[in-house]
Amino acid sequence: MRDSTIQDAGLSRTVTSDRPIDLAPTLAPLRRGAADPCYRVTPDGAHWRASRLATGPVTYRLTQAGAHAVDARAWGPGAAEFLDGLPHMLCLDEDLTGFMPGHPKVIDAHRRFPGLRMLRTGLVFESLVPAVLEQKVHTVSARASWRALVRKFGTPAPGPAPSGLLLAPDADAWRRIPSWTYHRANVGPERARTIVHAARVAESLERTAVIDAAEAARRLRTVPGIGVWTAAEIAQRVHGDADALSVGDYHLAAIIGWTLLGRPIDDDAMVEYLEPLRPHRYRAVRLLEISGHAHKPKFGPRTPLTDHTWH
């Protein structure tokens, strides 16, 4: 009984910072839709997530504990590693002295959300798979594919996790998923091949988490099927790269154009316009997103979704 009680209690830690910590918007990029099997927000406002660390699987629970603090509890073999690395993950060492936005909407967003942090998980393959699934398809379709594959091949999260919380498959499991199973989950051959190829070299890809973000992106782009957009999406979550602009995104340039200039622009114009915000271009995008300023007029019908999922 005593061992069981200790196991249920898990390990705990509180992290604090002189600068505010806005937990929910900071963690948002880790959640792949409201029904993400690896992520749950419970009615008490706690953020639960299951992940695979070097020391083993972990389930963690994070809650806002005041404007400058986060309470954490973790279970599983990776619990101690997760808690030790939590300040690093939440980028509590960020230096924003050089971030001086000029546009009124970015200034307003930064004023309203001073505790938005970047994320530095250090887990490359974990971020790579959902990013690849989101290549050149509707977000709703990519997230449905993620849910279908994790539910089929994932494993239960350790500890007293919410019902249905799952660990995503490890790299070896992703590598072994048959092509027809990817197809039935609405994942086309090109994206499936990218995931399988990356899974084969997952160990070397993980080593890019501890090197310079620009060099890490260059190495990631040597994997067939990983380009500038995917590398940026990974860097945003793995390296805490506040400048990792998702060039090539289907909507982002138009959103930035309409939000800040009142007209649509293309990728080249977006890169040029946001240049003065370097090295905080992605931070500015996130601020616009969470503040509600980001918008783009809707023109015409959406393109149809192809459905090969299991019934």
Side-chain angles (χ1 to χ4, degrees), residues 116-137:
L116 174 69
R117 305 298 181 123
M118 298 295 98
L119 281 166
R120 195 188 292 126
T121 68
L123 302 172
V124 177
F125 193 77
E126 176 184 271
S127 293
L128 182 150
V129 173
V132 171
L133 291 176
E134 292 173 4
Q135 291 176 347
K136 301 178 182 178
V137 297

Side-chain angles (χ1 to χ4, degrees), residues 13 28 43 46 55 58 75 93 105 129 144 151 163 178 189 198 219-220 231 249 254 265 281:
R13 178 181 187 182
T55 52
V58 62
W75 298 263
D93 58 346
K105 288 183 178 179
V129 173
R151 287 171 180 166
S163 176
R219 295 189 191 181
L220 283 168
D249 188 275
I265 58 176
R281 295 176 299 170

Side-chain angles (χ1 to χ4, degrees), residues 27-308:
L27 295 179
L30 295 179
R31 192 180 190 187
R32 305 293 177 162
D36 185 346
C38 304
Y39 198 122
R40 189 77 51 83
V41 180
T42 47
D44 61 357
H47 295 257
W48 291 79
R49 190 164 183 265
S51 189
R52 295 182 183 274
L53 305 186
T55 52
V58 62
T59 296
Y60 58 85
R61 178 184 185 272
L62 302 178
T63 55
Q64 191 83 54
H68 295 258
V70 169
D71 284 340
R73 192 170 293 275
W75 298 263
E81 179 187 358
F82 172 77
L83 293 176
D84 285 346
L86 183 57
H88 185 75
M89 172 182 158
L90 295 178
C91 293
L92 300 190
D93 58 346
E94 281 185 321
D95 181 4
L96 268 65
T97 54
F99 182 51
M100 295 181 289
H103 195 284
K105 288 183 178 179
V106 184
I107 294 171
D108 174 71
H110 187 41
R111 177 187 59 80
R112 289 164 51 201
F113 295 92
L116 174 69
R117 305 298 181 123
M118 298 295 98
L119 281 166
R120 195 188 292 126
T121 68
L123 302 172
V124 177
F125 193 77
E126 176 184 271
S127 293
L128 182 150
V129 173
V132 171
L133 291 176
E134 292 173 4
Q135 291 176 347
K136 301 178 182 178
V137 297
H138 286 291
T139 300
V140 64
S141 178
R143 289 177 173 174
S145 298
W146 171 250
R147 291 194 301 271
L149 291 167
V150 172
R151 287 171 180 166
K152 188 172 182 65
F153 298 101
T155 54
S163 176
L165 192 71
L166 297 174
L167 283 163
D170 62 15
D172 189 58
W174 284 107
R175 181 178 64 82
R176 295 175 182 274
I177 295 176
S179 59
W180 59 86
T181 303
Y182 277 112
H183 175 72
R184 292 298 300 275
N186 277 341
V187 181
E190 184 177 352
R191 287 180 293 149
R193 284 194 296 269
T194 299
I195 292 171
V196 171
H197 188 98
R200 290 179 180 141
V201 295
E203 188 175 341
S204 63
L205 293 180
E206 292 298 338
R207 290 195 287 269
T208 66
V210 296
I211 65 175
D212 174 74
E215 175 60 18
R218 187 194 68 78
R219 295 189 191 181
L220 283 168
R221 294 197 300 271
T222 65
V223 177
I226 294 183
V228 172
W229 180 87
T230 306
E233 292 285 310
I234 295 168
Q236 292 161 7
R237 295 160 175 83
V238 174
H239 289 273
D241 188 348
D243 201 51
L245 189 63
S246 298
V247 177
D249 188 275
Y250 186 74
H251 299 286
L252 184 59
I255 289 172
I256 293 300
W258 281 109
T259 301
L260 301 182
L261 297 170
R263 57 180 172 82
I265 58 176
D266 61 15
D267 277 342
D268 290 342
M270 175 182 69
V271 171
E272 181 180 359
Y273 184 76
L274 295 181
E275 181 64 26
L277 287 173
R278 233 184 236 280
H280 295 282
R281 295 176 299 170
Y282 171 60
R283 187 187 308 279
V285 171
R286 287 288 297 130
L287 285 168
L288 292 173
E289 289 173 345
I290 67 175
S291 66
H293 285 311
H295 76 283
K296 183 183 77 166
K298 296 180 179 179
F299 300 107
R302 292 166 61 96
T303 54
L305 299 175
T306 304
D307 186 4
H308 301 294

